[in-house]
Amino acid sequence: MKVANKVVVVTGAGSGMGRELTLALLRKGARVAAVDLNEATLKETIALAGQSGDKISSHVVNVSDRQAVEALPSAVIAAHGAVDGIINNAGIIQPFVRLNDLQYDAIERVINVNLYGVIYMTKAFLPYLLARPAAHIVNISSMGGFFPVPGQTVYGASKAGVKLLTEGLYAELLETNVRVTIVFPGAIATNITQNSGVAIERPTADDAAQSFPMTSAEDAAEMIIDGMERDRFQVYVGRDAKMMNLFYRFSPKRATQFMYSRMKELLQG
Ligand code: NAD
């Protein structure tokens, strides 16, 4: 879907890729409903929008709060008159430990935000999107959503869930006006570790292929919007994501063992 003159909801708009997606969409002539649970950083994004500030609405919402998400479409329509697209980008990583050492509160938090958040958003907005002449859903998974990274096992499970949810949705909506895109970013330079409340400095799941340079959040946002505008089924962001996809397809077992050898020193406990 071409984004000019469309209304697009972006979750996680207060930081990293969500912020850059918001700013890039505004530059391309879209209106944006910016969603984040962090009010202070959401305000910063709106300040950065500068003169486009009248094309952006701000919504302090936790995407894992189903009731709050169900109230979002009417707030977005009240602000912009319609809604044409959603980019489900808000997400968190888990503490960098083995599953055996991961507490249930962390497990539930990651699955509630990364997987249920996407399900709530999708179900809340889909009826409105189906009523538009053209509409689009973009879901952000991860390189860690198609191959396993020890120390981010529940994160990976949540992102693999997003992958298949999105690909299933793509198929279900093929004969409708709603296009669907799944995005697999590799390592992107953002503050996700701190924002997720994870004490350890990077690495994260998505830094796994560290021989590749990290992609900037700005470049990632451009690639994601380009994929959306070309109605791509899948978008791999960064050379690391593309290479690991090939490696995993060639030999899932060797790719898994390779990743363990890269990450084992970093596992806590
Ligand atoms: P980030 O931490 O810079 O930004 C994420 C934003 O989401 C933050 O502003 C945060 O406040 C918000 N958020 C978190 N939980 C929320 C909730 N429950 N409700 C509403 N907002 C919430 O992270 P980022 O690196 O830009 O990540 C964006 C997405 O990309 C995430 O889904 C992440 O898993 C995915 N991803 C990131 C990388 C990477 O290397 N950074 C790689 C692959 C995938």
Side-chain angles (χ1 to χ4, degrees):
M1 179 186 79
K2 292 285 178 198
V3 300
N5 303 314
K6 301 291 192 335
V7 179
V8 182
V9 183
V10 178
T11 68
S15 175
M17 280 188 268
R19 171 173 288 173
E20 296 304 332
L21 282 164
T22 300
L23 300 175
L25 284 165
L26 291 171
R27 283 196 299 274
K28 289 177 194 295
R31 300 178 67 87
V32 179
V35 177
D36 206 292
L37 89 179
N38 186 331
E39 188 170 9
T41 56
L42 197 51
K43 277 189 180 145
E44 286 170 22
T45 300
I46 286 161
L48 287 168
Q51 290 189 337
S52 306
D54 59 330
K55 293 202 168 127
I56 183 167
S57 61
S58 127
H59 309 265
V60 179
V61 169
N62 180 344
V63 297
S64 67
D65 177 342
R66 183 173 145 194
Q67 270 192 320
V69 170
E70 285 174 348
L72 248 182
S74 49
V76 172
I77 290 164
H80 301 282
V83 56
D84 305 291
I86 57 174
I87 304 183
N88 286 311
N89 162 80
I92 53 172
I93 60 165
Q94 66 166 83
F96 203 78
V97 296
R98 290 175 166 85
L99 180 65
N100 196 30
D101 302 316
L102 192 62
Q103 303 300 316
Y104 269 108
D105 60 348
I107 293 173
E108 284 164 10
R109 197 164 151 247
V110 166
I111 292 180
N112 286 341
V113 175
N114 292 0
L115 183 54
Y116 271 107
V118 175
I119 294 173
Y120 296 153
M121 282 288 299
T122 304
K123 282 190 66 69
F125 279 96
L126 193 49
Y128 299 91
L129 299 179
L130 284 164
R132 299 296 292 164
H136 208 123
I137 298 171
V138 177
N139 289 340
I140 311 296
S141 174
S142 167
M143 184 166 78
F146 62 80
F147 74 79
V149 179
Q152 289 293 326
T153 292
V154 168
Y155 173 81
S158 72
K159 291 296 188 177
V162 171
K163 172 188 189 291
L164 278 175
L165 179 87
T166 310
E167 293 175 352
L169 200 60
Y170 172 94
E172 287 181 5
L173 296 174
L174 268 175
E175 291 175 36
T176 74
N177 56 309
V178 184
R179 301 281 68 82
V180 179
T181 300
I182 181 73
V183 179
F184 304 107
I188 314 295
T190 72
N191 291 327
I192 191 165
T193 310
Q194 299 89 311
N195 290 341
S196 303
V198 173
I200 158 175
E201 266 310 296
R202 277 181 174 257
T204 71
D206 303 306
D207 287 339
Q210 277 166 20
S211 26
F212 297 96
M214 273 199 211
T215 306
S216 72
E218 200 175 348
D219 287 350
E222 288 294 337
M223 289 179 224
I224 294 166
I225 295 171
D226 182 66
M228 184 179 181
E229 292 211 302
R230 291 169 192 263
D231 292 339
R232 292 270 194 245
F233 173 50
Q234 297 180 324
V235 175
Y236 291 82
V237 178
R239 277 195 350 202
D240 47 359
K242 289 179 188 133
M243 283 304 298
M244 287 313 297
N245 180 36
L246 293 179
F247 190 7
Y248 187 78
R249 281 166 193 271
F250 170 68
S251 174
K253 186 173 165 186
R254 275 196 211 159
T256 301
Q257 289 170 341
F258 166 79
M259 197 50 57
Y260 174 66
S261 71
R262 295 296 293 264
M263 303 306 269
K264 67 178 173 188
E265 303 298 323
L266 310 162
L267 279 172
Q268 295 165 347

